[in-house]
Amino acid sequence: MKDTDIDRLSAAVRDVIDFPKEGIVFKDIAPVLADGALFRLAIDGLVESIGGTPVDKIVGIDARGFIFGAAVADRIGAGLVPVRKKGKLPWRTRSVSYALEYGESVIEIHEDAISPGERVLLVDDLLATGGTSAAALQLVRELGGEIVGASFFIELAFLDGRKAIHEAADGFPISALLTY
Ligand code: AMP
């Protein structure tokens, strides 16, 4: 992806100070999604970061991960598996609790969402502490999925999320389009 494209995307991400609580600078991606050309550019970048690696299923994380995950899945012809906050999935689930940058949470996956050996790519809007992604990857591994990568639109590098992910599961590429 060209530097000018990265700059255009970065310029559209809005910093919201003290949301959802004091001390957090929330990266609001709504202006990117609301602009057809920028949204397409963001999906182009995420698809490019996969680099032709075969993927059976994309795991998208509740809720903004669904937006990017679904668009990428459609482009590459992969299935989409939602990892959701507790109590949202109707079928039998596996769940895991984890620490957030702001609080604690439980996420769940349908127990039949991934078959053993399926190649799984994790997609989310933003990598912060990595707690959410590490938890999602734990669920993928419990179901026997083979993790082939993790792709983010934004990475807050100062929070060291890559380290947390690699402590949970190692040996696959992690990419982000915008790094702060
Ligand atoms: P973490 O588990 O700390 O990596 O947090 C990642 C999840 O929380 C992502 O799904 C993001 O949507 C959300 N998140 C965490 N921090 C921020 C932030 N500063 N701005 C926007 N979203 C955030």
Side-chain angles (χ1 to χ4, degrees):
M1 183 154 248
K2 290 183 293 189
D3 285 350
T4 48
D5 291 337
I6 297 291
D7 291 345
R8 280 173 67 203
L9 289 169
S10 184
V13 173
R14 176 165 53 197
D15 283 357
V16 183
I17 311 296
D18 293 335
F19 182 89
K21 71 175 200 189
E22 223 180 304
I24 303 291
V25 178
F26 191 88
K27 296 286 183 189
D28 180 18
I29 57 160
V32 175
L33 303 179
D35 182 311
L38 289 181
F39 187 29
R40 178 163 291 166
L41 200 56
I43 301 306
D44 288 345
L46 287 169
V47 169
E48 195 182 298
S49 75
I50 302 166
T53 301
V55 175
D56 299 309
K57 300 252 168 89
I58 285 185
V59 163
I61 301 181
D62 203 345
R64 290 177 297 273
F66 299 163
I67 299 168
F68 291 110
V72 172
D74 180 56
R75 286 270 192 102
I76 68 172
L80 179 72
V81 172
V83 163
R84 301 214 60 184
K85 288 172 188 139
K86 190 178 168 58
K88 300 285 188 187
L89 289 171
W91 186 238
R92 287 202 290 270
T93 58
R94 293 218 177 203
S95 65
V96 62
S97 70
Y98 65 101
L100 272 178
E101 188 187 4
Y102 39 82
E104 201 179 84
S105 196
V106 175
I107 52 169
E108 299 183 326
I109 194 168
H110 274 156
E111 64 179 22
D112 61 355
I114 292 164
S115 303
E118 280 190 315
R119 299 168 63 87
V120 175
L121 175 79
L122 185 82
V123 173
D124 203 2
D125 66 325
L126 186 141
L127 173 62
T129 65
T132 314
S133 295
L137 291 171
Q138 187 184 322
L139 292 173
V140 170
R141 274 191 322 184
E142 281 179 22
L143 296 182
E146 184 198 336
I147 300 154
V148 297
S151 296
F152 301 91
F153 179 52
I154 296 172
E155 175 180 6
L156 304 182
F158 56 91
L159 291 172
D160 244 353
R162 281 175 190 250
K163 198 167 149 232
I165 290 179
H166 275 149
E167 275 165 10
D170 213 347
F172 54 83
I174 298 173
S175 69
L177 293 187
L178 309 181
T179 305
Y180 297 93

